[in-house]
Amino acid sequence: VQLQASGGGLVQAGDSLRLSCAASRRTFSISTHSMGWFRQAPGKEREFVAGIFWRDGSTVYSDSVKGRFTISRDTAKNTIYLDMDSLKPEDTAVYFCAVQRRATIPITKSPNEYSYWGQGTLVTVSS
């Protein structure tokens, strides 16, 4: 499975961006796999941002983005999205999408529970 993340860029604080993550393998469906967005800022560990559960589309967010970011999916396009509003300079990072390995558990925030990481897309928020 290859995940292609896109949509990053340079924006100002308060702006919005939409990230996309498309799964390329025809035999892989996001409708049967939970998906997550993570980010990694320079010198920091990769951290969970948002996840969407395969079964019912329920979502989980980190406290730092709750209320500002929205994860969604389009199963027909095999694509997940991350709508980011009210961006802050501290949101600057490379954003990655990934597949949660185990479908039998709820969304987990541990990067170790995910695989098939995309190449990442850089989001830079200037103050």
Side-chain angles (χ1 to χ4, degrees):
V1 176
Q2 286 188 327
L3 301 177
Q4 181 75 33
S6 61
L10 173 62
V11 297
Q12 293 186 332
D15 285 350
S16 299
L17 269 181
R18 166 175 262 206
L19 305 184
S20 300
C21 173
S24 63
R25 187 172 175 179
R26 294 181 65 183
T27 57
F28 173 84
S29 174
I30 64 170
S31 62
T32 55
H33 292 77
S34 295
M35 304 289 294
W37 283 101
F38 290 77
R39 66 187 182 187
Q40 188 166 18
K44 295 188 176 181
E45 293 186 352
R46 191 166 297 187
E47 65 170 349
F48 175 84
V49 175
I52 186 163
F53 190 49
W54 69 272
R55 183 174 292 159
D56 58 3
S58 58
T59 56
V60 176
Y61 298 93
S62 68
D63 289 343
S64 60
V65 307
K66 195 175 297 182
R68 299 188 298 121
F69 290 11
T70 303
I71 185 172
S72 61
R73 63 181 179 176
D74 184 333
T75 54
K77 295 182 178 180
N78 226 16
T79 299
I80 64 168
Y81 303 96
L82 186 67
D83 288 295
M84 306 184 294
D85 297 322
S86 302
L87 283 162
K88 304 175 181 179
E90 52 263 43
D91 294 319
T92 295
V94 178
Y95 284 71
F96 301 88
C97 55
V99 181
Q100 183 169 297
R101 291 195 184 102
R102 291 187 284 171
T104 54
I105 62 173
I107 291 295
T108 175
K109 298 182 179 181
S110 170
N112 295 329
E113 291 287 340
Y114 290 78
S115 58
Y116 301 119
W117 295 87
Q119 87 288 356
T121 185
L122 176 61
V123 174
T124 304
V125 185
S126 63
S127 57

